[in-house]
Tab-separated table of all heavy atoms in Angstrom:
chain	number	residue	atom	x	y	z
A	21	LEU	N	186.485	24.041	102.731
A	21	LEU	CA	186.128	25.460	102.871
A	21	LEU	C	185.132	25.913	101.801
A	21	LEU	O	184.431	26.904	101.992
A	21	LEU	CB	187.388	26.325	102.852
A	21	LEU	CG	188.281	26.172	104.092
A	21	LEU	CD1	189.553	26.995	103.949
A	21	LEU	CD2	187.534	26.559	105.355
A	22	SER	N	185.051	25.181	100.702
A	22	SER	CA	184.078	25.505	99.653
A	22	SER	C	182.651	25.311	100.125
A	22	SER	O	181.719	25.865	99.541
A	22	SER	CB	184.314	24.631	98.418
A	22	SER	OG	185.553	24.930	97.852
A	23	GLN	N	182.471	24.526	101.154
A	23	GLN	CA	181.120	24.250	101.633
A	23	GLN	C	180.572	25.360	102.520
A	23	GLN	O	179.399	25.366	102.845
A	23	GLN	CB	181.080	22.902	102.353
A	23	GLN	CG	181.560	21.743	101.508
A	23	GLN	CD	181.043	21.767	100.079
A	23	GLN	OE1	179.862	21.950	99.832
A	23	GLN	NE2	181.965	21.603	99.125
A	24	PHE	N	181.411	26.308	102.893
A	24	PHE	CA	180.945	27.478	103.625
A	24	PHE	C	180.396	28.458	102.599
A	24	PHE	O	181.149	29.199	101.965
A	24	PHE	CB	182.083	28.108	104.446
A	24	PHE	CG	182.524	27.252	105.583
A	24	PHE	CD1	183.591	26.378	105.442
A	24	PHE	CD2	181.862	27.303	106.793
A	24	PHE	CE1	184.002	25.573	106.493
A	24	PHE	CE2	182.254	26.503	107.856
A	24	PHE	CZ	183.326	25.636	107.706
A	25	THR	N	179.079	28.433	102.428
A	25	THR	CA	178.431	29.172	101.355
A	25	THR	C	177.355	30.096	101.914
A	25	THR	O	176.568	29.693	102.771
A	25	THR	CB	177.777	28.173	100.361
A	25	THR	OG1	178.775	27.268	99.911
A	25	THR	CG2	177.174	28.884	99.182
A	26	PHE	N	177.332	31.310	101.387
A	26	PHE	CA	176.303	32.281	101.728
A	26	PHE	C	175.633	32.719	100.432
A	26	PHE	O	176.306	33.262	99.552
A	26	PHE	CB	176.912	33.495	102.438
A	26	PHE	CG	177.698	33.127	103.657
A	26	PHE	CD1	179.076	32.988	103.588
A	26	PHE	CD2	177.066	32.882	104.865
A	26	PHE	CE1	179.813	32.626	104.701
A	26	PHE	CE2	177.801	32.515	105.978
A	26	PHE	CZ	179.176	32.390	105.905
A	27	PRO	N	174.324	32.460	100.289
A	27	PRO	CA	173.639	32.835	99.046
A	27	PRO	C	173.718	34.346	98.812
A	27	PRO	O	173.524	35.130	99.730
A	27	PRO	CB	172.193	32.400	99.279
A	27	PRO	CG	172.204	31.544	100.492
A	27	PRO	CD	173.443	31.857	101.257
A	28	LEU	N	174.021	34.719	97.589
A	28	LEU	CA	174.118	36.130	97.236
A	28	LEU	C	173.701	36.268	95.773
A	28	LEU	O	174.519	36.548	94.910
A	28	LEU	CB	175.551	36.629	97.453
A	28	LEU	CG	175.806	38.126	97.361
A	28	LEU	CD1	175.096	38.856	98.499
A	28	LEU	CD2	177.284	38.426	97.403
A	32	PRO	N	176.986	32.525	94.662
A	32	PRO	CA	177.085	32.567	96.129
A	32	PRO	C	178.455	33.067	96.592
A	32	PRO	O	179.440	32.987	95.871
A	32	PRO	CB	176.879	31.104	96.534
A	32	PRO	CG	177.400	30.334	95.364
A	32	PRO	CD	177.078	31.157	94.147
A	33	LEU	N	178.491	33.554	97.803
A	33	LEU	CA	179.741	33.922	98.467
A	33	LEU	C	180.231	32.669	99.186
A	33	LEU	O	179.489	32.071	99.959
A	33	LEU	CB	179.476	35.058	99.458
A	33	LEU	CG	180.651	35.646	100.201
A	33	LEU	CD1	181.608	36.298	99.223
A	33	LEU	CD2	180.164	36.675	101.199
A	34	THR	N	181.452	32.233	98.884
A	34	THR	CA	181.949	30.970	99.442
A	34	THR	C	183.311	31.141	100.102
A	34	THR	O	183.963	32.167	99.949
A	34	THR	CB	182.093	29.897	98.334
A	34	THR	OG1	183.201	30.245	97.503
A	34	THR	CG2	180.837	29.760	97.513
A	35	GLY	N	183.735	30.083	100.776
A	35	GLY	CA	185.073	30.038	101.370
A	35	GLY	C	186.134	29.584	100.384
A	35	GLY	O	187.306	29.497	100.732
A	36	GLN	N	185.720	29.307	99.137
A	36	GLN	CA	186.672	28.820	98.134
A	36	GLN	C	187.809	29.799	97.898
A	36	GLN	O	188.974	29.399	97.890
A	36	GLN	CB	185.964	28.572	96.795
A	36	GLN	CG	185.156	27.315	96.741
A	36	GLN	CD	184.337	27.241	95.472
A	36	GLN	OE1	183.700	28.214	95.091
A	36	GLN	NE2	184.356	26.098	94.833
A	70	PHE	N	182.623	21.102	95.017
A	70	PHE	CA	182.350	22.512	94.749
A	70	PHE	C	181.326	23.032	95.755
A	70	PHE	O	180.715	22.261	96.490
A	70	PHE	CB	181.851	22.704	93.316
A	70	PHE	CG	182.834	22.290	92.253
A	70	PHE	CD1	182.396	21.723	91.077
A	70	PHE	CD2	184.199	22.469	92.411
A	70	PHE	CE1	183.276	21.344	90.080
A	70	PHE	CE2	185.101	22.086	91.436
A	70	PHE	CZ	184.637	21.523	90.264
A	71	SER	N	181.125	24.337	95.782
A	71	SER	CA	180.207	24.924	96.755
A	71	SER	C	178.823	24.287	96.643
A	71	SER	O	178.384	23.905	95.561
A	71	SER	CB	180.115	26.431	96.561
A	71	SER	OG	179.485	26.738	95.347
A	72	GLY	N	178.177	24.158	97.788
A	72	GLY	CA	176.858	23.553	97.827
A	72	GLY	C	176.873	22.053	97.592
A	72	GLY	O	175.871	21.485	97.162
A	73	MET	N	178.007	21.415	97.834
A	73	MET	CA	178.164	19.964	97.628
A	73	MET	C	177.813	19.566	96.195
A	73	MET	O	177.141	18.574	95.950
A	73	MET	CB	177.302	19.176	98.625
A	73	MET	CG	177.708	19.339	100.076
A	73	MET	SD	179.338	18.691	100.464
A	73	MET	CE	179.031	16.952	100.423
Side-chain angles (χ1 to χ4, degrees):
L21 291 176
S22 295
Q23 303 317 312
F24 291 94
T25 305
F26 304 97
L28 190 66
L33 183 63
T34 71
Q36 283 172 314
F70 298 145
S71 68
M73 295 295 286

